């Protein structure tokens, strides 16, 4: 596919501002790509050579068969149990091609078979544990072992421990190992895990959860930083690669060809992590803007034209990071990509001293609306005469608004203002109505916005710094950057004016700062205690009375 073809593709598939929703389950083209991989001899490296696009790839003849569930199941069994190396590649190809022939329901059935029938042998594990428990422990007095009896006892311990370690590996480990060494096998494993994760959204099946956990660990090992290559993606890369950047951009959709060219041009950088077994697309990529200062809104990043001269830039702003593989969910490749990108940028432009992000806050509005709704109802109960309530609501009730914020919201129902607020009893109810009403415009400067802004900014700071889940930040993006060693620097009003930005966070965005001398210290502190490093300004906003 040439650049003209990419332009046509973008014009026909995309509309400015429309979110592109990628299906979790792989489409037929992924199956074709994986199958075609079995027929190509790829050279090592990040594989930037244009292969002519998916339309020029050919499937092997066997891929045109419509195999039944039982045939694919038998093929999977052969892929696990076969010992003849000369036939193994053909069997693995047959299984992977057959897997893509299956419907979603049959894939689900096959994965359940894999999880349950090729799990570890618990009878053998129990026997070995009983043998182990029955052994007499060797003397632990620090003395050197010098008797044949003691040596024999230790040998028995080592043998049972070795056998137990082997028995605790599920049988499907064999399939994973064999697929990893098979052309196209790594991508197949990633797609298989995407299917598992999708199925788990429909119901928590213990055996599938165990299969997912094992495969996640396996993929984390296979995709360690040492096995990945970072590549700067530019306008000169193949159109087939640029098409994937357009398709997978998850934070700020690329609206047209000019937008794409700007993001890859002067004053901008795009870095991707590639694996030699999946050379045609990045596993994850990050977009960077070179600026004078830390940007406070995404508009100035996306529409800054012309950008400042690169030799004047002192700030590298990471404004989008996107994973291209649903099957790698929960595997933190972004942490290592950011560190590698920082290293490359420092090497290229020594004058850059600030590394920051301009990040979305995807969970803020969902948390806030839920909080306002529940607390408004509890406030109504709390306002009832004490004789009519048992007082149980008071232990859960919290007015999340400060007194002056409460008064400001209630004042909106006064004479000459908004009559629809007249029947509302508390400020939280008014705030909830403003945020959810389709008839009230608070997104432009107005009296509504003036009342909303102080409360929204303070509550956003609370959400980022105080709201936790299992001791870590409730917001997924915040948790990502904090565990990578960043600090929360600043939140920005009206920073993302897109529909998505208002829906997720009321238009607010946040700057995280990566202080190179403190990254490891901050990451360790967050990991061990959940402590969140934040600027003095943000902490003072949180404590505003």
């Amino acid at each position: 596919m040439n650049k003209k073809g990419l332009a046509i593709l973008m014009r026909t598939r995309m509309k400015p501002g429309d979110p592109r929703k990628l299906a979790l389950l792989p489409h037929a083209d992924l199956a074709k790509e994986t199958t075609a991989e079995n027929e190509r001899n790829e050279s090592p490296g990040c594989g930037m050579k244009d292969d002519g696009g998916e339309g020029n790839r050919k499937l092997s003849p066997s891929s045109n068969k419509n195999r039944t569930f039982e045939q694919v199941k038998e093929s999977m069994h052969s892929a696990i149990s076969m010992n003849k190396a000369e036939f193994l590649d053909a069997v693995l190809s047959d299984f992977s091609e057959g897997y893509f022939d299956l419907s979603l329901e049959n894939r689900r059935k096959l994965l359940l078979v894999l999880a349950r029938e090729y799990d570890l042998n618990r009878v053998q594990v129990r026997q070995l544990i009983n043998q182990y428990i029955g052994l007499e422990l060797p003397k632990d007095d620090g003395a050197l072992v010098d008797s044949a009896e003691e040596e024999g006892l230790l040998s028995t311990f080592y043998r049972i421990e070795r056998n137990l370690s082997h028995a605790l590996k599920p049988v499907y480990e064999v399939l994973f190992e064999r697929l990893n060494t098979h052309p196209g096998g790594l991508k197949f494993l990633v797609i298989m895990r995407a299917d598992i994760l999708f199925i788990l959204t429909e119901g928590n099946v213990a055996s599938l959860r165990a299969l997912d956990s094992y495969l996640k660990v396996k993929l984390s090992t296979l995709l360690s930083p040492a096995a990945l290559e970072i590549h700067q993606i530019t306008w000169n890369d193949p159109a087939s690669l640029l098409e994937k950047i357009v398709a997978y951009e998850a934070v700020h959709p690329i609206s047209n060809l000019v937008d794409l060219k700007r993001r890859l041009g002067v004053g901008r950088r795009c870095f991707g992590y590639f694996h030699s077994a999946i050379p045609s697309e990045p596993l994850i990529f990050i977009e960077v803007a070179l600026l004078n200062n830390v940007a406070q809104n995404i508009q100035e990043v996306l529409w800054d034209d012309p950008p400042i001269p690169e030799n004047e830039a002192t700030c590298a702003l990471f404004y989008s990071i996107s994973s291209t593989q649903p099957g790698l969910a929960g595997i933190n490749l972004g942490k290592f990509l950011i560190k590698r990108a920082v290293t490359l940028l420092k090497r290229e432009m020594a004058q850059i001293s600030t590394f920051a992000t301009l990040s979305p806050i995807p969970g803020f509005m969902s948390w806030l609306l839920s909080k306002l709704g529940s607390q408004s109802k509890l406030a109504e109960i709390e306002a009832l005469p004490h004789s009519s309530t048992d007082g149980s609501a008071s232990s859960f009730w919290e007015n999340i608004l400060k007194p002056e914020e409460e008064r400001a919201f209630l004042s909106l129902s006064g004479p000459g203002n908004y009559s629809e607020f007249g029947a509302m009893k508390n400020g939280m109810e008014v705030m909830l109505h403003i945020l959810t009403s389709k008839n009230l415009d608070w997104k432009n400067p107005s009296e509504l916005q003036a009342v909303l802004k102080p409360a929204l900014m303070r509550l956003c700071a609370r959400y980022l710094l105080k709201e936790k889940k299992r001791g870590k930040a409730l917001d997924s993006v915040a948790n990502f950057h904090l565990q990578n060693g960043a600090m929360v620097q600043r939140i920005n009003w009206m920073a993302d004016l897109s529909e998505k930005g208002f829906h997720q966070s009321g238009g607010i965005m946040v700057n995280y700062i990566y202080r190179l001398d403190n990254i490891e210290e901050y990451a360790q502190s967050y990991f061990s205690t959940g402590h969140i490093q934040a600027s003095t300004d943000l902490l003072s906003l949180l404590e505003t009375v």
Side-chain angles (χ1 to χ4, degrees):
M1 180 190 296
N2 56 26
K3 294 292 192 305
K4 182 178 180 180
L6 177 62
I8 295 172
L9 175 77
M10 294 178 70
R11 283 197 299 270
T12 55
R13 289 188 182 179
M14 295 172 14
K15 295 180 180 179
D18 282 356
R20 287 172 300 282
K21 298 179 180 179
L22 300 177
L24 184 57
L25 290 173
H27 292 298
D29 59 341
L30 289 177
K32 293 176 183 178
E33 185 174 340
T34 304
T35 305
E37 196 76 24
N38 297 338
E39 298 185 342
R40 296 199 303 268
N41 293 320
E42 297 290 354
S43 59
C46 62
M48 292 298 100
K49 183 179 179 181
D50 193 349
D51 59 11
E54 292 174 4
N56 292 333
R57 295 174 182 158
K58 296 180 180 179
L59 295 176
S60 61
S62 62
S63 68
N64 293 321
K65 300 175 184 176
N66 290 318
R67 265 134 324 167
T68 66
F69 170 78
E70 291 299 329
Q71 288 174 320
V72 180
K73 178 183 172 183
E74 181 60 33
S75 178
M76 181 176 73
H77 176 75
S78 298
I80 294 173
S81 59
M82 176 169 287
N83 293 319
K84 295 182 178 180
E86 61 269 28
F87 300 119
L88 188 56
D89 271 349
V91 170
L92 289 169
S93 294
D94 187 64
F95 165 62
S96 59
E97 293 163 14
Y99 181 86
F100 289 120
D101 286 339
L102 297 178
S103 65
L104 171 60
E105 180 56 32
N106 279 336
R107 287 195 197 184
R108 183 181 185 279
K109 287 169 57 180
L110 187 72
L111 290 169
L112 282 171
V113 169
L114 181 63
R116 292 169 177 170
E117 298 183 16
Y118 295 90
D119 198 359
L120 53 85
N121 186 337
R122 289 182 175 81
V123 173
Q124 182 185 15
V125 170
R126 175 171 287 189
Q127 290 173 347
L128 289 168
I129 290 175
N130 289 334
Q131 291 178 31
Y132 196 80
I133 293 174
L135 294 177
E136 180 182 351
L137 291 174
K139 295 177 181 179
D140 190 20
D141 55 7
L144 293 175
V145 177
D146 54 6
S147 70
E149 182 180 350
E150 291 264 340
E151 281 287 355
L153 180 59
L154 284 175
S155 295
T156 304
F157 268 102
Y158 296 146
R159 175 176 53 80
I160 295 178
E161 288 163 354
R162 183 172 60 251
N163 292 341
L164 185 58
S165 175
H166 179 74
L168 286 171
K169 292 182 179 180
V171 178
Y172 47 68
E173 160 76 7
V174 175
L175 180 63
F176 296 163
E177 285 288 349
R178 290 178 171 181
L179 282 169
N180 178 49
T181 59
H182 183 67
L186 178 59
K187 183 160 188 178
F188 178 83
L189 289 174
V190 173
I191 293 172
M192 177 186 282
R193 183 165 182 255
D195 285 348
I196 296 170
L197 290 172
F198 180 82
I199 294 166
L200 285 172
T201 63
E202 301 176 334
N204 190 13
V205 182
S207 56
L208 272 183
R209 183 69 65 186
L211 177 66
D212 171 61
S213 297
Y214 201 92
L215 184 52
K216 178 183 176 182
V217 171
K218 186 71 177 177
L219 289 171
S220 298
T221 303
L222 297 175
L223 298 174
S224 67
L228 301 176
E229 181 176 346
I230 190 170
H231 169 75
Q232 182 182 339
I233 300 166
T234 71
W235 184 249
N236 294 323
D237 278 312
S240 57
L241 171 58
L242 301 187
E243 177 191 349
K244 290 181 171 68
I245 298 301
V246 172
Y248 290 120
E249 165 56 54
V251 185
H252 304 292
I254 298 173
S255 56
N256 51 49
L257 198 61
V258 174
D259 187 11
L260 174 63
K261 197 167 186 178
R262 183 187 294 113
R263 297 193 196 197
L264 302 177
V266 177
R268 299 293 181 267
R269 295 291 185 275
C270 181
F271 298 102
Y273 248 160
F274 291 80
H275 191 283
S276 58
I278 312 176
S280 57
E281 62 184 289
L283 303 178
I284 187 172
F285 61 92
I286 191 168
E287 296 171 68
V288 190
L290 306 176
L291 307 169
N292 276 329
N293 300 294
V294 179
Q296 299 186 47
N297 65 75
I298 195 61
Q299 292 77 233
E300 67 178 281
V301 174
L302 296 181
W303 305 111
D304 176 27
D305 192 19
I308 65 167
E310 291 189 356
N311 60 2
E312 297 179 11
T314 57
C315 170
L317 186 86
F318 304 109
Y319 64 93
S320 178
I321 184 165
S322 301
S323 173
T324 68
Q325 309 294 326
L328 297 182
I331 300 174
N332 191 356
L333 300 179
K335 171 183 179 179
F336 304 105
L337 177 58
I338 289 174
K339 289 184 176 180
R340 292 282 297 275
V342 166
T343 300
L344 291 180
L345 289 166
K346 286 289 288 183
R347 185 183 304 162
E348 181 186 1
M349 289 169 283
Q351 80 275 10
I352 291 182
S353 57
T354 302
F355 295 90
T357 80
L358 181 60
S359 301
I361 314 170
F364 173 51
M365 286 300 283
S366 175
W367 168 83
L368 178 59
L369 295 179
S370 175
K371 196 80 170 174
L372 288 171
S374 61
Q375 294 302 323
S376 295
K377 288 182 173 61
L378 289 174
E380 292 176 10
I381 297 173
E382 192 70 15
L384 293 174
H386 289 293
S387 59
S388 64
T389 179
D390 60 7
S392 60
S394 61
S395 59
F396 298 99
W397 178 73
E398 172 199 10
N399 190 345
I400 63 174
L401 298 178
K402 296 295 184 182
E404 68 274 18
E405 295 167 351
E406 176 82 12
R407 290 191 296 269
F409 279 110
L410 290 176
S411 71
L412 292 172
S413 61
N417 288 327
Y418 299 86
S419 58
E420 59 194 282
F421 301 147
M424 298 180 184
K425 301 294 191 299
N426 59 75
M428 291 185 291
E429 190 177 357
V430 175
M431 185 178 187
L432 178 62
H433 184 76
I434 295 171
L435 292 173
T436 56
S437 174
K438 295 181 179 179
N439 300 321
L440 297 175
D441 179 19
W442 59 270
K443 300 173 183 178
N444 295 303
S446 63
E447 182 183 10
L448 287 179
Q449 189 181 99
V451 172
L452 270 174
K453 181 178 177 180
L456 275 178
M457 292 291 278
R458 181 184 60 79
L459 289 169
C460 186
R462 165 181 165 169
Y463 171 72
L464 289 172
L465 302 182
K466 297 296 184 182
E467 297 300 320
K468 303 285 187 72
K469 180 181 180 180
R470 297 173 185 166
K472 300 298 187 289
L474 180 60
D475 188 79
S476 58
V477 174
N479 183 58
F480 169 78
H481 287 294
L482 293 169
Q483 69 182 0
N484 294 344
M487 70 173 291
V488 193
Q489 179 69 20
R490 179 178 63 200
I491 55 176
N492 306 291
W493 179 253
M494 292 293 153
D496 184 354
L497 302 180
S498 68
E499 182 179 347
K500 179 181 177 182
F502 280 112
H503 176 73
Q504 289 188 338
S505 61
I508 302 172
M509 298 188 77
V510 57
N511 296 122
Y512 298 98
I513 297 289
Y514 283 88
R515 302 191 186 283
L516 303 188
D517 294 336
N518 303 110
I519 285 179
E520 297 304 326
E521 174 192 347
Y522 291 172
Q524 181 58 38
S525 175
Y526 181 70
F527 175 78
S528 58
T529 68
H531 178 67
I532 297 175
Q533 299 287 341
S535 66
T536 303
D537 288 345
L538 195 60
L539 290 172
S540 64
L541 176 62
L542 182 66
E543 297 166 1
T544 298
V545 177

